Amino acid sequence: MKKSSEQERLIPPQSNKWKKWGPYISERQWGTVREDYSHNGDAWNHITYEMASYYAYRWGEDGMAGFCDDQQILCLAPAFWNGKDPILKERLFGLNNPQGNHGEDVKELYFHLNSSPSHSYCSFLYKYPQGEFPYDTLVQCNKLGRDLPEFEITDTSAFDRDKYFDCHIEYAKAEEEDILMKMTIHNRSSESASIHILSHLWFRNYWRHNPRYRRPSIESIGNGVARAQSVRCGRYFLYYEEGKPLFCENETNKFKLKGTKSDTRYTKDGINNHIIHKTHSVNPKEKGSKMAVHNVKEIEGGKKAIIRIRLTRKVLHDPWLDFETEFRKREKETQDHYNSLYPESQSEETREVLNRATGGLLWTKSFYYLNMYRWLHGDLTEKPPSRDSMRNEGWEHLTNRHVISMPDKWEYPWYAVWDLAFHATSFYSVDPEFAKGQLLLMLQEYYMHPNGQIPAYEWNFSDVNPPVHSWAVWYVYEKDKSITGKGDVQFLERAFHKLSINFTWWVNQKDVNGIHLYDGGFLGLDNIGVFDRNHMPKGIKNMQQADATSWMAMFTLHMIRMSIELATTNRAYEELAARYFRHFLNIAWAMHHIGEKDISLWDDEDNFYYDVVQMENGLNERLRVRSLVGIIPLFAVEVIGKNLFDGLHEFKSRVINIIKTRPDLASLISRVEEVSKGSNYLFSIMRGFRLEHLLKRLLDENEFLSPYGIRSLSKYHLDHPYIFEHNGRHEIRYDPGESTSNMFGGNSNWRGPVWFPINYLIIQSLRKYYTYYGPEYTYEFPTGSGAKMNLSQIADQLTLRLLKLFERDELGKFVYHQNDKNNLFSKNPHFKDLHLFYEYFHGDTGQGLGASHQTGWTALVANLIIELNDKKD
């Protein structure tokens, strides 16, 4: 079957050329740790939103709907001004962490509409109020207390009477380095309105810190054309149809920053000051390292204006001759590509969710640059901060300079390793090679610590995230093998060896007593515990975590599975499979035998898993919190076919020997000695009794089962808060919406809401159990209803509850838009089909909460749609 144009572009090495340019500009660089050179480690106040317009960044750039090359040498992005705001709209506004009543929070309406995997076509929508942007209102109204919901721009009058512009920004590539940019500005008001439209082109400031490089230049070379040139990227031409070119330098305005003389007269904010304050702050010689083509358009009510830009290496006599033809060709190729991926049976509404999820995932890629040695020790122009304790000082080896999938390019504009694992599974459907590359990237020597730890995120690379990297590697490998008919053994083997090092780090660093029980700290679940598990109250010696230990059991099973797969072509891996099998048995045994009094993480009275704290006085105590901590043991499950198992004679003989010599170990895991009717072996830390009782709570609507998926904390704790009194009073209660706890800065909540990543793992695990148990094993769904379903059907029902979030309610708006008090998303035709992908969702109402563009892991909705459809087929 002939490949489509877009599929051809995704084949290496062609893909590297087509992906050289893409939407790789962060939506926020200010307030990040990598730009923090303060003496007190206060990243949020070292560079603020207000400072961003005149401060030249050290490590990267930000912008709105920006495009750049994969080393971010040259950047292209739009900016707007409505004639009333105090600054140009060059970047998206939001609250820093101390300002927000629930942490950092973007306060704009923008949508990543579409992107092809090669970024041959990209589409972005920004809604810009025609009146003065309500900066102060948004800041002041979010100061009113943590008990109040976040105050959003839709709560203001900014969009009343449709007095706003829809700024539709599109990119298309005529060729790999021939970038077409179109801005279509719709005046949604019935009255005429004026808008300033700027097409920015600038160089990232890489020369200030490296004496090898001179400052690059962009200069006018004729009517409607400018030339950008540097030793790092060569020569490009920017063509524009109309407008006035304005030039300045991408250099800090030191006078504004600290009252000293700037290195140049024409600083980074020169264009802003020239347009808004009418100052002589742009270079009359029409030359600089930053430029903008300035257009002013008076647009009649209900009408639109179009601005076209072309950035290319070519000298063109008529850059507009083929502009529209190439643009529409790329747009159609993109739509055809996605139509080929999604079945025709999908409804238009479902297809729209798939397109938006995929588009958001692809738009959320960003160039990430950080050299920790230079950050810690300084370089030519940036002296290291003189702090008593330096953040990430044990990570001098880390040198990152790649395009990476971000959780959210505004609220989380840095990679997070456990987020990225979920991203990879969603990326696989649209760009398998990128998915594999991202997983391998985190295991490279300039990311992974020499001791084997994978970096968590820039606020603290040493934080411990759940070890889901192995799950993602195996998921991508299996998916690839099922589709192509041949496993990418080279990818699997490369990942396996690095994961073995990471596994050893976990064993050496997080099993402090050497008893196969793990204490990972907060493990990315932030405030799910009664206290910060990274900083426990005095008097507690350590904590044996049900979730950390279960994550490690899951990690171990994936290492077994990968070993077995690799052993089919190299028998040496059988020994490693046996080694990991013994680890798995040891973990299963340890979960039920802690300390001298032989306490178990499983509580026979409640029939649930709990964390156990070991006190300095020698006593052990279970923390009886019904949370995801007790559900995560469900994830430690693998099913291995009898034919594969029997074919590995060395591994099989070792497993049998262990079972014979230590039946006490083997009895703790399910059915490893029994084959199912489907000729499968089950490896799991849950026997039938425990699985059944865990499901009883999981599927109870008065506990974990929400109308929209699985809650992170049981609703039982609404009326029965858990209180732990030890060196203070520590309490946890069901909190279905935004957290009222100040733990972790208040910007996280695992005390009730629905989170897609954990829900996805629950569904995946139930499907694995079904593979072994088959259709005859049924459970009540929901608990107490009397209705019985098998595990596959239950997984389907959980999927449908999650998908319900993206369906319309009786008012005509999507369920997650419950915070839309002005009903913009139900009544306004220019809002109602637009999707946001929230970080998590209210446990009772389904309202979207947290970061609003978290396509990183909420794009898992696409996986769920595709997998549910595959089952129907």
Side-chain angles (χ1 to χ4, degrees):
M1 184 176 177
K2 185 181 177 183
K3 287 183 168 59
S4 68
S5 299
E6 183 60 23
Q7 287 170 330
E8 291 284 356
R9 293 186 194 109
L10 295 178
I11 301 172
Q14 186 79 349
S15 60
N16 297 331
K17 297 175 183 177
W18 275 94
K19 292 180 190 174
K20 180 174 180 179
W21 281 79
Y24 308 143
I25 300 177
S26 178
E27 287 164 356
R28 177 171 64 82
Q29 186 76 4
W30 61 272
T32 59
V33 168
R34 57 193 179 280
E35 296 291 348
D36 178 20
Y37 283 83
S38 68
H39 295 295
N40 59 358
D42 184 359
W44 287 110
N45 288 308
H46 181 62
I47 306 177
T48 63
Y49 176 80
E50 293 73 20
M51 293 166 61
S53 64
Y54 62 81
Y55 184 98
Y57 298 124
R58 168 65 178 90
W59 296 102
E61 294 294 332
D62 61 16
M64 178 169 57
F67 230 61
C68 71
D69 62 271
D70 58 8
Q71 292 297 296
Q72 204 174 87
I73 305 302
L74 189 59
C75 306
L76 176 66
F80 306 99
W81 187 47
N82 58 15
K84 302 178 181 67
D85 288 345
I87 56 173
L88 291 180
K89 183 61 69 173
E90 294 181 78
R91 56 188 55 79
L92 298 162
F93 170 72
L95 307 181
N96 65 33
N97 186 281
Q99 287 177 322
N101 62 341
H102 296 284
E104 63 266 34
D105 187 13
V106 68
K107 294 299 182 185
E108 304 265 21
L109 278 182
Y110 60 102
F111 304 87
H112 303 118
L113 298 181
N114 203 355
S115 176
S116 69
S118 69
H119 309 300
S120 59
Y121 174 78
C122 293
S123 176
F124 182 105
L125 178 65
Y126 172 60
K127 291 184 176 289
Y128 188 32
Q130 292 173 3
E132 186 172 348
F133 194 90
Y135 293 106
D136 290 341
T137 302
L138 289 165
V139 172
Q140 295 305 318
C141 288
N142 280 286
K143 285 182 176 179
L144 300 179
R146 292 193 52 73
D147 292 336
L148 296 175
E150 293 173 358
F151 185 83
E152 306 292 0
I153 191 170
T154 50
D155 297 324
T156 72
S157 60
F159 300 101
D160 285 2
R161 295 185 294 124
D162 288 334
K163 294 182 75 65
Y164 70 94
F165 298 104
D166 264 342
C167 303
H168 186 202
I169 301 101
E170 297 172 280
Y171 296 94
K173 298 178 188 176
E175 293 179 5
E176 295 99 319
E177 296 193 74
D178 190 354
I179 315 299
L180 315 178
M181 178 187 185
K182 181 191 286 191
M183 291 176 281
T184 306
I185 314 302
H186 299 266
N187 179 3
R188 297 305 185 191
S189 169
S190 60
E191 301 172 7
S192 180
S194 177
I195 185 171
H196 295 244
I197 307 163
L198 296 101
S199 310
H200 271 112
L201 182 71
W202 75 101
F203 285 99
R204 173 170 61 86
N205 191 324
Y206 59 81
W207 56 88
R208 190 170 80 229
H209 315 282
N210 196 324
R212 292 187 300 158
Y213 300 120
R214 291 167 47 192
R215 183 193 291 158
S217 68
I218 311 171
E219 59 183 325
S220 284
I221 60 171
N223 186 28
V225 60
R227 180 179 62 212
Q229 195 157 336
S230 81
V231 296
R232 295 196 65 183
C233 70
R235 186 177 66 177
Y236 288 87
F237 297 96
L238 184 82
Y239 295 94
Y240 51 97
E241 286 185 293
E242 55 182 316
K244 180 175 177 54
L246 304 172
F247 294 81
C248 64
E249 302 291 350
N250 187 12
E251 299 278 10
T252 299
N253 186 333
K254 292 184 178 178
F255 184 78
K256 268 190 182 178
L257 183 67
K258 48 190 177 185
T260 60
K261 185 178 179 181
S262 298
D263 297 335
T264 177
R265 178 179 175 183
Y266 308 110
T267 53
K268 180 179 176 180
D269 55 346
I271 296 169
N272 177 88
N273 297 337
H274 174 78
I275 293 174
I276 293 179
H277 305 299
K278 314 301 182 190
T279 61
H280 300 291
S281 51
V282 293
N283 191 341
K285 295 182 180 179
E286 296 192 339
K287 184 176 182 179
S289 50
K290 177 182 178 182
M291 76 163 290
V293 181
H294 180 211
N295 285 278
V296 184
K297 294 288 185 180
E298 184 74 24
I299 308 176
E300 294 180 25
K303 301 297 185 181
K304 65 184 178 183
I306 297 175
I307 299 295
R308 301 194 300 181
I309 298 291
R310 189 165 190 164
L311 179 67
T312 178
R313 288 196 183 274
K314 293 181 176 181
V315 176
L316 299 173
H317 297 294
D318 186 354
W320 318 114
L321 182 64
D322 61 345
F323 189 97
E324 290 299 331
T325 303
E326 292 297 322
F327 221 102
R328 293 310 144 214
K329 186 189 292 186
R330 294 293 98 82
E331 184 179 19
K332 184 179 185 305
E333 288 169 353
T334 299
Q335 197 54 53
D336 289 346
H337 176 69
Y338 286 122
N339 286 341
S340 71
L341 293 182
Y342 309 141
E344 293 181 7
S345 59
Q346 295 289 359
S347 68
E348 194 61 37
E349 200 165 88
T350 301
R351 194 176 291 272
E352 199 65 34
V353 175
L354 286 165
N355 284 341
R356 296 291 186 258
T358 302
L361 193 67
L362 288 158
W363 265 98
T364 309
K365 290 177 174 181
S366 184
F367 171 75
Y368 185 92
Y369 179 33
L370 178 60
N371 181 319
M372 276 306 302
Y373 183 84
R374 288 188 178 181
W375 190 89
L376 288 165
H377 300 288
D379 50 31
L380 288 175
T381 56
E382 297 284 3
K383 293 182 179 179
S386 55
R387 304 176 191 162
D388 293 334
S389 176
M390 287 292 286
R391 194 189 303 272
N392 296 320
E393 58 188 346
W395 289 80
E396 288 188 357
H397 76 285
L398 187 139
T399 305
N400 303 162
R401 192 185 303 187
H402 294 91
V403 172
I404 306 175
S405 177
M406 302 290 142
D408 177 321
K409 282 208 296 194
W410 196 97
E411 298 205 23
Y412 301 105
W414 25 258
Y415 64 86
V417 69
W418 88 296
D419 298 60
L420 188 136
F422 293 102
H423 304 184
T425 68
S426 296
F427 262 114
Y428 180 81
S429 295
V430 292
D431 192 347
E433 292 307 313
F434 185 77
K436 295 175 192 176
Q438 291 286 283
L439 292 169
L440 291 174
L441 184 64
M442 293 296 128
L443 303 174
Q444 296 300 313
E445 65 276 6
Y446 30 83
Y447 284 76
M448 193 176 189
H449 198 283
N451 66 16
Q453 185 176 11
I454 303 174
Y457 45 82
E458 67 175 28
W459 286 93
N460 184 358
F461 287 124
S462 293
D463 257 346
V464 184
N465 284 169
V468 291
H469 215 75
S470 59
W471 165 77
V473 166
W474 182 245
Y475 177 101
V476 167
Y477 175 83
E478 269 198 310
K479 184 74 73 173
D480 198 43
K481 187 177 180 180
S482 68
I483 292 173
T484 65
K486 184 180 180 181
D488 187 346
V489 175
Q490 184 182 41
F491 159 71
L492 186 65
E493 194 163 20
R494 288 175 65 191
F496 177 82
H497 286 292
K498 292 297 184 69
L499 288 167
S500 295
I501 299 170
N502 181 238
F503 185 92
T504 302
W505 175 84
W506 271 88
V507 170
N508 291 339
Q509 298 295 322
K510 294 301 169 183
D511 177 12
V512 292
N513 296 324
I515 58 173
H516 310 288
L517 291 168
Y518 293 85
D519 176 8
F522 86 105
L523 279 175
L525 303 184
D526 299 6
N527 62 12
I528 201 166
V530 288
F531 47 75
D532 181 350
R533 298 193 292 178
N534 278 340
H535 304 93
M536 292 180 288
K538 290 182 180 179
I540 297 178
K541 184 179 178 182
N542 56 46
M543 174 188 282
Q544 311 299 350
Q545 293 178 213
D547 54 338
T549 305
S550 301
W551 285 122
M552 277 302 289
M554 172 179 157
F555 191 176
T556 307
L557 283 175
H558 291 135
M559 297 304 283
I560 293 171
R561 195 64 190 84
M562 284 186 264
S563 301
I564 290 173
E565 183 73 10
L566 293 169
T568 59
T569 55
N570 184 343
R571 295 297 181 183
Y573 285 98
E574 289 192 64
E575 291 188 23
L576 288 172
R579 174 195 168 206
Y580 285 114
F581 177 69
R582 185 56 185 256
H583 268 292
F584 177 63
L585 287 177
N586 290 342
I587 290 170
W589 186 88
M591 287 184 76
H592 306 95
H593 302 83
I594 302 175
E596 295 177 2
K597 294 190 177 180
D598 219 23
I599 191 171
S600 169
L601 294 177
W602 174 265
D603 184 271
D604 286 322
E605 183 179 334
D606 288 351
N607 289 317
F608 202 70
Y609 284 100
Y610 297 122
D611 288 341
V612 173
V613 289
Q614 295 181 301
M615 314 299 247
E616 289 182 352
N617 61 11
L619 297 176
N620 298 314
E621 183 174 342
R622 289 194 185 97
L623 300 179
R624 295 178 181 274
V625 178
R626 297 181 193 174
S627 73
L628 287 177
V629 166
I631 302 297
I632 288 171
L634 188 72
F635 304 162
V637 55
E638 266 300 329
V639 177
I640 300 175
K642 184 177 186 299
N643 290 341
L644 180 60
F645 188 78
D646 290 347
L648 300 174
H649 304 296
E650 179 69 19
F651 174 62
K652 183 178 180 180
S653 66
R654 291 193 180 204
V655 169
I656 292 171
N657 187 54
I658 292 170
I659 291 171
K660 286 181 177 178
T661 56
R662 288 294 303 275
D664 58 317
L665 291 180
S667 66
L668 294 168
I669 62 176
S670 297
R671 310 296 186 192
V672 73
E673 72 285 1
E674 295 179 20
V675 67
S676 71
K677 288 181 180 178
S679 295
N680 291 308
Y681 289 100
L682 179 68
F683 290 69
S684 168
I685 57 175
M686 284 208 178
R687 292 178 293 180
F689 173 84
R690 288 180 181 165
L691 176 62
E692 185 174 339
H693 280 80
L694 187 140
L695 288 174
K696 186 182 252 186
R697 289 202 191 283
L698 184 75
L699 307 178
D700 188 339
E701 292 180 318
N702 295 313
E703 292 222 27
F704 287 98
L705 183 61
S706 156
Y708 309 103
I710 297 299
R711 303 175 173 107
S712 48
L713 186 73
S714 171
K715 198 171 182 178
Y716 168 83
H717 291 300
L718 176 65
D719 298 321
H720 306 89
Y722 178 78
I723 298 168
F724 178 70
E725 297 203 46
H726 182 80
N727 281 324
R729 189 176 190 271
H730 310 278
E731 178 180 315
I732 189 168
R733 71 169 64 236
Y734 176 67
D735 209 349
E738 295 285 10
S739 174
T740 53
S741 163
N742 284 314
M743 199 184 296
F744 292 92
N747 65 345
S748 182
N749 187 358
W750 291 82
R751 296 188 170 189
V754 172
W755 293 74
F756 260 77
I758 298 296
N759 271 261
Y760 188 65
L761 287 174
I762 290 170
I763 289 167
Q764 291 282 304
S765 298
L766 292 178
R767 296 204 189 284
K768 284 186 179 180
Y769 278 109
Y770 173 79
T771 302
Y772 180 80
Y773 284 114
E776 61 269 24
Y777 282 83
T778 59
Y779 300 84
E780 264 193 322
F781 184 91
T783 299
S785 67
K788 294 272 192 164
M789 295 184 186
N790 64 48
L791 293 175
S792 178
Q793 292 168 332
I794 290 171
D796 290 347
Q797 289 300 313
L798 293 180
T799 297
L800 292 171
R801 290 193 178 214
L802 290 164
L803 297 183
K804 190 177 174 183
L805 290 163
F806 291 86
E807 296 173 359
R808 297 187 190 278
D809 62 13
E810 63 278 4
L811 297 176
K813 61 185 173 186
F814 298 115
V815 169
Y816 61 75
H817 277 315
Q818 298 300 314
N819 60 336
D820 179 24
K821 302 182 187 70
N822 292 325
N823 292 316
L824 283 169
F825 286 92
S826 59
K827 295 183 178 179
N828 191 310
H830 302 299
F831 278 77
K832 67 184 185 68
D833 293 326
L834 297 171
H835 280 286
L836 292 171
F837 292 84
Y838 285 93
E839 188 177 2
Y840 47 93
F841 300 85
H842 194 286
D844 295 337
T845 68
Q847 177 183 329
L849 300 167
S852 54
H853 293 75
Q854 189 97 358
T855 41
W857 59 23
T858 303
L860 289 166
V861 66
N863 295 34
L864 292 170
I865 292 171
I866 292 168
E867 288 162 10
L868 191 62
N869 188 82
D870 288 346
K871 278 199 67 203
K872 291 176 183 176
D873 291 347

